Amino acid sequence: MDKRNVDVVVISDVHLGTYGCHAKELLKYLKSIKPKILILNGDIIDIWQFSKSYWPEAHMKVIRKLMKFVSEGVQVHYLTGNHDEMLRKFDGMEMGSFHLQNKLILELDGKKAWFFHGDVFDVTMQHSKWLAKLGAVGYDTLILINSFVNWVLTAFGREKMSFSKKIKARFKDAVKFINSFEQTAAELAIEKGYEYVVCGHIHQAEQREIATEAGKVTYLNSGDWVESLTALEYQDKTWTVFKYEHQHFTKDQLDEGMLSDAEDLKSKLDINILLQNIKYEIAQ
């Protein structure tokens, strides 16, 4: 399987440990690329909803693939989000080519790029965190129901549908929040003199130029791996939004994405113990 060389790859909002996470598709994507820099822009592991009873093998394989990137010398930057906010205590931690940070600034071909998750702009997160957590549980339940409905639709040869996208489209406040989020991120980036501002959090991939009286900036969002299955790629001085499509992968590539990993998972890393230790450290 030929791998694509990519200078920078950005993924966010994977939500490993939840029913809505498309870990299998993400694993196939990760195995199809050869990045120089990989930026995990928040909410990779959903510590909010983490449960010992749900951690499929595919989720474990994603973790192991990320660890393999580190072992190969790929610069991996894990930027914390709200669903993995417990890790913010360890901002600045480095292990080889792995970096745990709350935000990141990179210079790409002479232009400065500012990376952060973006939950700082979410008023619900700032003032009603319990409501945000309740909403996260409701969202995961909605995705689970949506998956069953799509399975039935596919069985009858019908097109899949997205409950959450339909709900967002019906409520003007949701559209208003997204527009406000993007505008706020852009204005701050312009004020700080950055050419790119790269976020996650709102589960909507985007690439567009935003101009204000003070200047202009390229706003980018990596989307998510719950519904949109998107990533950002930077190659040859150009940003693009990658959208996962099943037909982009041959059958052999699909098999390799899931079945080539013959090592004993249990002997490598017990994610339950890892996350329990993190929670213990935070509680101290």
Side-chain angles (χ1 to χ4, degrees), residues 53-259:
S53 62
Y54 187 76
W55 187 265
E57 183 176 304
H59 293 217
M60 186 68 252
K61 285 191 174 184
V62 169
I63 295 292
R64 290 185 55 212
K65 180 57 182 174
L66 297 177
M67 293 172 63
K68 186 176 181 182
F69 277 137
V70 174
S71 69
E72 293 171 343
V74 176
Q75 294 296 314
V76 176
H77 297 268
Y78 191 123
L79 309 184
T80 55
N82 49 302
H83 285 253
D84 45 21
E85 64 180 351
M86 290 182 180
L87 300 177
R88 286 179 172 162
K89 175 182 179 180
F90 305 102
D91 178 33
M93 183 185 76
E94 296 184 1
M95 293 186 295
S97 63
F98 176 83
H99 312 270
L100 178 62
Q101 300 151 283
N102 293 334
K103 57 185 177 181
L104 172 67
I105 299 170
L106 289 180
E107 185 167 314
L108 303 173
D109 297 306
K111 295 183 177 181
K112 289 185 178 180
W114 186 26
F115 302 83
F116 60 98
H117 185 63
D119 56 291
V120 66
F121 299 145
D122 193 334
V123 67
T124 306
M125 278 298 306
Q126 299 303 313
H127 302 290
S128 302
K129 190 173 292 186
W130 66 270
L131 185 60
K133 290 185 177 182
L134 181 62
V137 175
Y139 178 72
D140 198 38
T141 303
L142 180 67
I143 294 297
L144 185 60
I145 296 171
N146 200 168
S147 297
F148 173 74
V149 171
N150 282 336
W151 177 82
V152 174
L153 289 173
T154 302
F156 283 91
R158 302 281 295 277
E159 186 177 347
K160 292 181 179 180
M161 63 184 297
S162 170
F163 286 179
S164 68
K165 287 182 180 179
K166 287 183 177 294
I167 291 172
K168 288 176 184 178
R170 283 177 174 268
F171 290 94
K172 293 182 179 179
D173 285 348
V175 177
K176 184 178 179 181
F177 168 75
I178 291 173
N179 290 337
S180 176
F181 178 96
E182 295 174 348
Q183 189 68 29
T184 301
E187 290 175 356
L188 282 174
I190 292 170
E191 181 181 321
K192 292 177 178 290
Y194 301 127
E195 283 80 10
Y196 306 117
V197 57
V198 188
C199 301
H201 187 58
I202 58 175
H203 291 214
Q204 182 162 315
E206 184 64 87
Q207 177 184 359
R208 67 187 180 99
E209 187 176 276
I210 297 178
T212 68
E213 293 182 356
K216 62 181 180 180
V217 67
T218 299
Y219 166 83
L220 299 127
N221 196 298
S222 45
D224 69 283
W225 285 86
V226 176
E227 289 187 276
S228 58
L229 279 60
T230 52
L232 292 171
E233 298 183 349
Y234 181 80
Q235 180 71 13
D236 298 326
K237 301 182 180 181
T238 302
W239 283 102
T240 56
V241 176
F242 174 89
K243 169 69 175 173
Y244 178 90
E245 299 290 351
H246 183 78
Q247 61 269 26
H248 290 167
F249 294 82
T250 65
K251 185 179 185 302
D252 290 341
Q253 289 173 332
L254 297 181
D255 290 343
E256 181 181 348
M258 289 310 301
L259 304 177

